[in-house]
Amino acid sequence: MVFKPFTHLARQSLGKTLTHGYAQSVVAATQSSYASSTTPFGSFSTHAASKFNKHSSSQFHNTFQHPSGTIASSGRQDSVPDTSRGDGGLAAYYEAWQKQQRNHGSGKEWKQFQFPLRIGWNAPIALADSKGIDKDNALLRPDALLERSSLGRAYSTSAVDDIKKAEDVIAEAAAVSEVDEAIAKEISTSQPRVLSSSPIPGISATSIPSGTGSSGIAPSDTYVSGPQRSNTTSSSPHSLPLTDVTPPTSHSLTPTDGISHLQKTGHYAEIPAVFESILIRGIQPSITDYNGLLAAATVLPAAQHHVVSKALNIYTDMLHRRVAPDAAFYTALLELLIRRAIEVYQTKIAMNVKRSRYGSSTPDSSFLLPSDESEYAILAADDALRHAITVFDAAISSSQIKALPSDVYGLLISTCALYGYDEDMIRIHTHMEENQVIPLASMFPPMIEAFARSEDLRTAMRCYDGYRTLAIQHDAGEEVLMGRYDYSVYAAVIKSYMKCGKSEAGNRFIKGIMESFDNGTEEGKARLDLARDIIVTEGLIQYQIDVHQYADALHLANTWSLTQSGRDRALAHICSQAADYGDKPTAIKAYHSIRAIPTNMSVTALSMMAMHIRYGELSEAYNYWSVSIGLPHDGVSLIEPTTMYTVAVITEGRIEEGLTHAREAFARIRTSATTAAAREQIKEKIDEVIELFGKILRLPQSNLSPQAVMNLLGAMTENNGLVSPVSEQLLAGLGAPEIATLDRHDTVLALTIEASLISKGAFLQDVAHVARFEHLLNVVMQQGVTLDEMTLEIVERTLEQVENQRPGLIAKWRNAHKVAELSPHAPVLGRAASSLAVNATLSPAVTFDPYAGTTDHRGSSIILDVLEKTPSRRSVNLDEALSRFRNMRRIGRHPRYVVYARLINVAALEGRADTIFDLLGTARQDVPLQSQYPLVREGWSSILDSMIGACLTVGNRATASEFHQELLQLGSTPSANTFGLYITTLKESAQTLDEANEALKIFCRAKQEGVEPTSFLYNALIGKLGKARRIEDACFYFSEMQRRGLRPTSVTYGTMINALCRVSDERTAETLFDEMENMSNYKPRPAPYNSVMQYFQTTKRDSRKVLEYYTRMLSNKIQPTMHTYKLLIDTYATLEPINMPAAQGVLDTIRASGQRPEAVHYASLIHAKGCVLHDLAGARTTFDEALANPEIRPYACLYQAMFESIVANHHAEGIEGMLENMAARRVELTAYIANTVIHGWATTENISKAQSLYQRIGMTKREPSTYEAMARAFLAVNDRQHASEVVDEMLSRGYPAPVTRKVQALLEHAGN
């Protein structure tokens, strides 16, 4: 069949129209494809030969194209003769005859002229259908196999209409199904072979398609090497001559093995080219080749509907070439078709929900957006499942295939059940059982529900009995079932009872199920809770929802003892469904019954919003809209609700408010896109929404304010650019009075948009564009606004374009622009303000900001709000803020100074050093420093202060000092918090300085520069002093902090408590702890509790006190940290009384809290078993268990604990093996591991190995404890000289005296 009526769709919807009309590809093997002949074939194009093409009027060519460039074309009209094609080679024959006549005296022997052979083409086989009607069996071009459906999708009403015109093709599929079965039987009884080169008996010459006719694809005039015979002539003047096919080349010369290799290695993009080479060389493709080509079509990036169409084309071509598909091919094709059918089913359900929730309230209940109407119509025409059934029938009819894999049966049966194809479902299930294929458990719930829909309860129960029997056998260890879906099966049975009116039997059934789980154990209770949640939600509640009895569903959710999370999910689902149905009381009651926020809460809030909008209650709708905006979402799901809410607000007359909400929501939606393709799809949707807004705003009752106009134009520019004709419509409402009310930002935006439209020729249709442009330009010149380079270029180009209509305007503009260049940052004021401008230049007012005219205050507030959102999503918030920042600058505006500073701070916290300096450069460009203006100096002080803190955060202290000096030259100083960062970011890796002394120097410098200390600065200083055990200094500054009127925070108390614990000042630490808990502004934090617990665990060795503070921690509702759990394990496992089961139980406590045990917890257990209990075997077992756990990374702490266990048990011979194990797993050797190993070798007096490891650790990574361990090792073998060298190196590192004194005393004691 030829689809010529579709040619007019090439501009709008060819891709979607043809790619979805693939019904003919499965069974209509006797049809030709005009569509494929008009599709560009990128993948199989013979690019090397394209430069020789002289005749083709189009820009594409196919795989059968000869280097001479001749190609069959079916794109011309039949009435137009084509002298370059379809001549059977006569033109070439005539040219050769002329050449022979010119060379008649050459004496060469005469040769028969060889007409070109047609590769891959034979006379079609005429097949008769059941009514005796012959059909053409034209060969599908191989170059169209993958590229036939490569055009992009387009959503248009015309595309859907043309799909409806092609329904005769889909209907014809059923008529030729017998033909397909005949082909399948013929293939199954014969081996794959090349068609005979001689004419097939019974085929007349008149049945061969014409080269330029409309019956099919003309064969390509491709020359081949090898023996050739001249073409015979057809008896019909309109048919092609019969040709001989080139004898098949030996498969030893084919690239078939190459395709198999490419498929195995995953190089799918190269498979089409190799397949093309097979066809060009005249080789019959094998089943291996087609399997590779199908895999390439499936894997290469493309939309799912494109992939399906390509796969069906490949299958059709196989049948034409008489290549019998094997089980692998059928499996791959069936899985593709079935998954497409499932996707279509699920998408249609989602779209039906979208239509009922956001669509119109008319009887036909249309979609909100036209593209959804087109999409739904295309999905409705999709028949992937019917094609899958046809392919399945062909597969099982083959004598070479006994059965297919379990997945194919399971998916196909489940999908048939969903679609209501009960007869096919039963037939396929019977075939599966006959061939003893192990069934999928997932297919039983939809099968049971399918029987229930037809009220066949008996068969549904037989299906359940079959599953139960298989499940029992599976429990006994037999492999008779793949997977388990017990709870879903129970839910399906209960729904079946309800649907068939057997509610009492259903209640007895569910009671029996619940009793079977209740065995009194903890495991049984957990299974009972899970079973109850699934069975009640998917069975009882879902049935009530299906029959629209939402109040009964709500009653069930409240009366059954569901878990908290299960109940909230059920309530959210009931609320959404009731709201979509219009059951307002039930929806409201269900919504307010939700306690926690389930994962589907965003959908619930949006359904409530839509319901209130349908009831005309916009104030209530706004509340739910605000809730949904703050919840996690995928972005795309907000497009329809945003549109619905905005349209409702606009219809009520609050146009500006509605457009403001829409603009903000659109920005949020765009930032949610994770890929470029998703972002483009979102932008296209938003453009469609803007078109809808334009239609509504064209209504007579719409009274657009200038601010509303600019809001919508701004939304366009932030999205995909101007949307025509909405932009022209909006600008038409901007006259001189309206322009006078715009601020500078909106005026520049209007000027830019108007200039852009004029440059595209808009003034040719409406002369008002030029007048509006002139007026906007005059306003900009009067206001003295400085334009960015892009806007300036557009304005200059437009001025040149309208010079004839507005002579002198360009000269006026350039004169004004020249004045602006003399004072680029001061606005050009009118006469009334000229004296003020002079005074401001001589003595600027404190409140004057030269950049105020281009500052976007509203946008600045939005960016700051975005940055202050959920801290856990800081990176996402930063990306969104930067996107808004760039959009603001794109239209010639800039934020306030504080926004630059805040962006720099957040970028530093995320470690984005490049972004920090990019933002600084942008600030220097947008708001250059003018020190004569106090506001500018103040703003730049905050920016430079942020730069100092940012450089300190990313570890660049040298650059921070440079910005510090620049800030001092400006007459300002860093903030107290920045000085606090100076202290907290002191380098700790090299340990070459006394951090306490450095911290005191920084603190004193802050005071000298006139900085008023803050709590953060004091906390940083006290922390460094406490770490150095300088407790007197820490207490002094703690008291000074209180004298200055700064109330200590929980961080301050935690820092002091930690410092006191370091020096074993137990009484003062506990006093401060009690004071901390009793203070009015106390914010519970785990750090102080951990400090005290660690003190009593490591120093006092008092398990009672550790557990006491742990109990106090829980009573204050403080979530324990991973360090807290480690201290608990150490307490149970190392302090008397030893309670190893309790220590092991901490791991279960961690899992119960929703977290996962970490390597440090296993390290504590290893240390306890090896060093406390001296159970080296038990320690090794725990060590191996940790490494075998995929959730545990092999951190150094695990090896450290194992080395400690080895040394504690005097098993030094195991050190070498453990070091090799650590190296194999690429675990870094830390100083603490080196300490333990050095000590272990020192006990065996193996000083050479100890010294080797000491050298291996390197000077920069050595800790004071490393020096102590090596010194002890040398002293153990009476090598005082080397021990002294080690101590000298330690002293040269600049450690605090309390740290070095201990090692020095060790050396002095050895000397005595």
PDB file of all heavy atoms in Angstrom, residues 1051-1069:
ATOM      1  N   VAL A1051      27.193  25.069  71.085  1.00  0.00           N
ATOM      2  CA  VAL A1051      28.496  24.778  70.485  1.00  0.00           C
ATOM      3  C   VAL A1051      29.619  25.206  71.438  1.00  0.00           C
ATOM      4  O   VAL A1051      30.623  24.505  71.613  1.00  0.00           O
ATOM      5  CB  VAL A1051      28.628  25.500  69.125  1.00  0.00           C
ATOM      6  CG1 VAL A1051      30.016  25.263  68.529  1.00  0.00           C
ATOM      7  CG2 VAL A1051      27.562  25.028  68.166  1.00  0.00           C
ATOM      8  N   THR A1052      29.438  26.379  72.074  1.00  0.00           N
ATOM      9  CA  THR A1052      30.453  26.857  73.023  1.00  0.00           C
ATOM     10  C   THR A1052      30.597  25.895  74.187  1.00  0.00           C
ATOM     11  O   THR A1052      31.709  25.520  74.578  1.00  0.00           O
ATOM     12  CB  THR A1052      30.067  28.250  73.540  1.00  0.00           C
ATOM     13  OG1 THR A1052      29.685  29.090  72.452  1.00  0.00           O
ATOM     14  CG2 THR A1052      31.223  28.880  74.284  1.00  0.00           C
ATOM     15  N   TYR A1053      29.466  25.489  74.748  1.00  0.00           N
ATOM     16  CA  TYR A1053      29.515  24.545  75.864  1.00  0.00           C
ATOM     17  C   TYR A1053      30.148  23.227  75.423  1.00  0.00           C
ATOM     18  O   TYR A1053      30.950  22.625  76.156  1.00  0.00           O
ATOM     19  CB  TYR A1053      28.112  24.303  76.408  1.00  0.00           C
ATOM     20  CG  TYR A1053      27.638  25.373  77.356  1.00  0.00           C
ATOM     21  CD1 TYR A1053      26.666  26.285  76.978  1.00  0.00           C
ATOM     22  CD2 TYR A1053      28.147  25.475  78.644  1.00  0.00           C
ATOM     23  CE1 TYR A1053      26.211  27.271  77.833  1.00  0.00           C
ATOM     24  CE2 TYR A1053      27.713  26.456  79.516  1.00  0.00           C
ATOM     25  CZ  TYR A1053      26.738  27.361  79.102  1.00  0.00           C
ATOM     26  OH  TYR A1053      26.323  28.333  79.971  1.00  0.00           O
ATOM     27  N   GLY A1054      29.776  22.766  74.251  1.00  0.00           N
ATOM     28  CA  GLY A1054      30.351  21.514  73.765  1.00  0.00           C
ATOM     29  C   GLY A1054      31.849  21.609  73.597  1.00  0.00           C
ATOM     30  O   GLY A1054      32.595  20.661  73.923  1.00  0.00           O
ATOM     31  N   THR A1055      32.322  22.760  73.107  1.00  0.00           N
ATOM     32  CA  THR A1055      33.762  22.956  72.942  1.00  0.00           C
ATOM     33  C   THR A1055      34.479  22.958  74.284  1.00  0.00           C
ATOM     34  O   THR A1055      35.536  22.339  74.461  1.00  0.00           O
ATOM     35  CB  THR A1055      34.026  24.274  72.205  1.00  0.00           C
ATOM     36  OG1 THR A1055      33.298  24.288  70.972  1.00  0.00           O
ATOM     37  CG2 THR A1055      35.500  24.439  71.909  1.00  0.00           C
ATOM     38  N   MET A1056      33.890  23.661  75.263  1.00  0.00           N
ATOM     39  CA  MET A1056      34.503  23.715  76.596  1.00  0.00           C
ATOM     40  C   MET A1056      34.488  22.344  77.275  1.00  0.00           C
ATOM     41  O   MET A1056      35.468  21.935  77.911  1.00  0.00           O
ATOM     42  CB  MET A1056      33.755  24.732  77.464  1.00  0.00           C
ATOM     43  CG  MET A1056      34.169  26.167  77.228  1.00  0.00           C
ATOM     44  SD  MET A1056      35.918  26.487  77.593  1.00  0.00           S
ATOM     45  CE  MET A1056      36.004  26.008  79.315  1.00  0.00           C
ATOM     46  N   ILE A1057      33.375  21.639  77.166  1.00  0.00           N
ATOM     47  CA  ILE A1057      33.273  20.314  77.788  1.00  0.00           C
ATOM     48  C   ILE A1057      34.315  19.370  77.190  1.00  0.00           C
ATOM     49  O   ILE A1057      34.970  18.603  77.908  1.00  0.00           O
ATOM     50  CB  ILE A1057      31.853  19.761  77.619  1.00  0.00           C
ATOM     51  CG1 ILE A1057      30.869  20.580  78.470  1.00  0.00           C
ATOM     52  CG2 ILE A1057      31.779  18.285  77.980  1.00  0.00           C
ATOM     53  CD1 ILE A1057      29.414  20.313  78.171  1.00  0.00           C
ATOM     54  N   ASN A1058      34.488  19.446  75.879  1.00  0.00           N
ATOM     55  CA  ASN A1058      35.481  18.607  75.226  1.00  0.00           C
ATOM     56  C   ASN A1058      36.886  18.955  75.714  1.00  0.00           C
ATOM     57  O   ASN A1058      37.725  18.063  75.956  1.00  0.00           O
ATOM     58  CB  ASN A1058      35.382  18.788  73.710  1.00  0.00           C
ATOM     59  CG  ASN A1058      36.295  17.838  72.960  1.00  0.00           C
ATOM     60  OD1 ASN A1058      36.309  16.649  73.221  1.00  0.00           O
ATOM     61  ND2 ASN A1058      37.076  18.369  72.035  1.00  0.00           N
ATOM     62  N   ALA A1059      37.151  20.251  75.898  1.00  0.00           N
ATOM     63  CA  ALA A1059      38.471  20.672  76.377  1.00  0.00           C
ATOM     64  C   ALA A1059      38.710  20.196  77.801  1.00  0.00           C
ATOM     65  O   ALA A1059      39.811  19.726  78.149  1.00  0.00           O
ATOM     66  CB  ALA A1059      38.582  22.195  76.294  1.00  0.00           C
ATOM     67  N   LEU A1060      37.675  20.298  78.642  1.00  0.00           N
ATOM     68  CA  LEU A1060      37.824  19.853  80.038  1.00  0.00           C
ATOM     69  C   LEU A1060      38.013  18.340  80.118  1.00  0.00           C
ATOM     70  O   LEU A1060      38.756  17.836  80.967  1.00  0.00           O
ATOM     71  CB  LEU A1060      36.597  20.281  80.845  1.00  0.00           C
ATOM     72  CG  LEU A1060      36.470  21.796  81.091  1.00  0.00           C
ATOM     73  CD1 LEU A1060      35.081  22.146  81.604  1.00  0.00           C
ATOM     74  CD2 LEU A1060      37.538  22.269  82.077  1.00  0.00           C
ATOM     75  N   CYS A1061      37.344  17.614  79.251  1.00  0.00           N
ATOM     76  CA  CYS A1061      37.513  16.156  79.244  1.00  0.00           C
ATOM     77  C   CYS A1061      38.924  15.772  78.831  1.00  0.00           C
ATOM     78  O   CYS A1061      39.465  14.758  79.293  1.00  0.00           O
ATOM     79  CB  CYS A1061      36.497  15.517  78.311  1.00  0.00           C
ATOM     80  SG  CYS A1061      34.788  15.559  78.921  1.00  0.00           S
ATOM     81  N   ARG A1062      39.539  16.579  77.970  1.00  0.00           N
ATOM     82  CA  ARG A1062      40.899  16.275  77.540  1.00  0.00           C
ATOM     83  C   ARG A1062      41.888  16.341  78.699  1.00  0.00           C
ATOM     84  O   ARG A1062      42.904  15.638  78.707  1.00  0.00           O
ATOM     85  CB  ARG A1062      41.326  17.241  76.430  1.00  0.00           C
ATOM     86  CG  ARG A1062      40.746  16.935  75.065  1.00  0.00           C
ATOM     87  CD  ARG A1062      41.142  18.003  74.055  1.00  0.00           C
ATOM     88  NE  ARG A1062      40.670  17.675  72.717  1.00  0.00           N
ATOM     89  CZ  ARG A1062      41.376  16.996  71.807  1.00  0.00           C
ATOM     90  NH1 ARG A1062      42.581  16.558  72.130  1.00  0.00           N
ATOM     91  NH2 ARG A1062      40.880  16.728  70.625  1.00  0.00           N
ATOM     92  N   VAL A1063      41.604  17.240  79.661  1.00  0.00           N
ATOM     93  CA  VAL A1063      42.524  17.371  80.803  1.00  0.00           C
ATOM     94  C   VAL A1063      41.963  16.693  82.043  1.00  0.00           C
ATOM     95  O   VAL A1063      42.432  16.918  83.160  1.00  0.00           O
ATOM     96  CB  VAL A1063      42.798  18.868  81.095  1.00  0.00           C
ATOM     97  CG1 VAL A1063      43.522  19.510  79.932  1.00  0.00           C
ATOM     98  CG2 VAL A1063      41.510  19.615  81.407  1.00  0.00           C
ATOM     99  N   SER A1064      40.942  15.876  81.870  1.00  0.00           N
ATOM    100  CA  SER A1064      40.353  15.066  82.948  1.00  0.00           C
ATOM    101  C   SER A1064      39.751  15.907  84.068  1.00  0.00           C
ATOM    102  O   SER A1064      39.740  15.485  85.230  1.00  0.00           O
ATOM    103  CB  SER A1064      41.412  14.108  83.524  1.00  0.00           C
ATOM    104  OG  SER A1064      41.906  13.262  82.513  1.00  0.00           O
ATOM    105  N   ASP A1065      39.236  17.090  83.746  1.00  0.00           N
ATOM    106  CA  ASP A1065      38.562  17.919  84.744  1.00  0.00           C
ATOM    107  C   ASP A1065      37.090  17.523  84.742  1.00  0.00           C
ATOM    108  O   ASP A1065      36.229  18.209  84.199  1.00  0.00           O
ATOM    109  CB  ASP A1065      38.740  19.396  84.418  1.00  0.00           C
ATOM    110  CG  ASP A1065      38.308  20.288  85.577  1.00  0.00           C
ATOM    111  OD1 ASP A1065      37.634  19.777  86.502  1.00  0.00           O
ATOM    112  OD2 ASP A1065      38.622  21.487  85.540  1.00  0.00           O
ATOM    113  N   GLU A1066      36.845  16.389  85.375  1.00  0.00           N
ATOM    114  CA  GLU A1066      35.513  15.791  85.321  1.00  0.00           C
ATOM    115  C   GLU A1066      34.462  16.680  85.981  1.00  0.00           C
ATOM    116  O   GLU A1066      33.374  16.879  85.435  1.00  0.00           O
ATOM    117  CB  GLU A1066      35.563  14.425  86.005  1.00  0.00           C
ATOM    118  CG  GLU A1066      34.217  13.752  86.164  1.00  0.00           C
ATOM    119  CD  GLU A1066      34.362  12.464  86.963  1.00  0.00           C
ATOM    120  OE1 GLU A1066      35.492  11.942  87.097  1.00  0.00           O
ATOM    121  OE2 GLU A1066      33.327  11.989  87.457  1.00  0.00           O
ATOM    122  N   ARG A1067      34.799  17.243  87.148  1.00  0.00           N
ATOM    123  CA  ARG A1067      33.806  18.003  87.919  1.00  0.00           C
ATOM    124  C   ARG A1067      33.360  19.244  87.140  1.00  0.00           C
ATOM    125  O   ARG A1067      32.163  19.508  87.008  1.00  0.00           O
ATOM    126  CB  ARG A1067      34.390  18.393  89.268  1.00  0.00           C
ATOM    127  CG  ARG A1067      33.426  19.203  90.138  1.00  0.00           C
ATOM    128  CD  ARG A1067      34.013  19.460  91.509  1.00  0.00           C
ATOM    129  NE  ARG A1067      34.276  18.195  92.200  1.00  0.00           N
ATOM    130  CZ  ARG A1067      34.823  18.114  93.413  1.00  0.00           C
ATOM    131  NH1 ARG A1067      35.192  19.221  94.044  1.00  0.00           N
ATOM    132  NH2 ARG A1067      35.013  16.928  93.970  1.00  0.00           N
ATOM    133  N   THR A1068      34.310  19.997  86.620  1.00  0.00           N
ATOM    134  CA  THR A1068      33.946  21.205  85.866  1.00  0.00           C
ATOM    135  C   THR A1068      33.178  20.854  84.602  1.00  0.00           C
ATOM    136  O   THR A1068      32.241  21.557  84.212  1.00  0.00           O
ATOM    137  CB  THR A1068      35.213  22.001  85.506  1.00  0.00           C
ATOM    138  OG1 THR A1068      35.997  22.202  86.689  1.00  0.00           O
ATOM    139  CG2 THR A1068      34.852  23.337  84.905  1.00  0.00           C
ATOM    140  N   ALA A1069      33.572  19.782  83.944  1.00  0.00           N
ATOM    141  CA  ALA A1069      32.874  19.368  82.721  1.00  0.00           C
ATOM    142  C   ALA A1069      31.417  19.034  83.017  1.00  0.00           C
ATOM    143  O   ALA A1069      30.511  19.449  82.285  1.00  0.00           O
ATOM    144  CB  ALA A1069      33.584  18.164  82.096  1.00  0.00           C
TER     145      ALA A1069
END
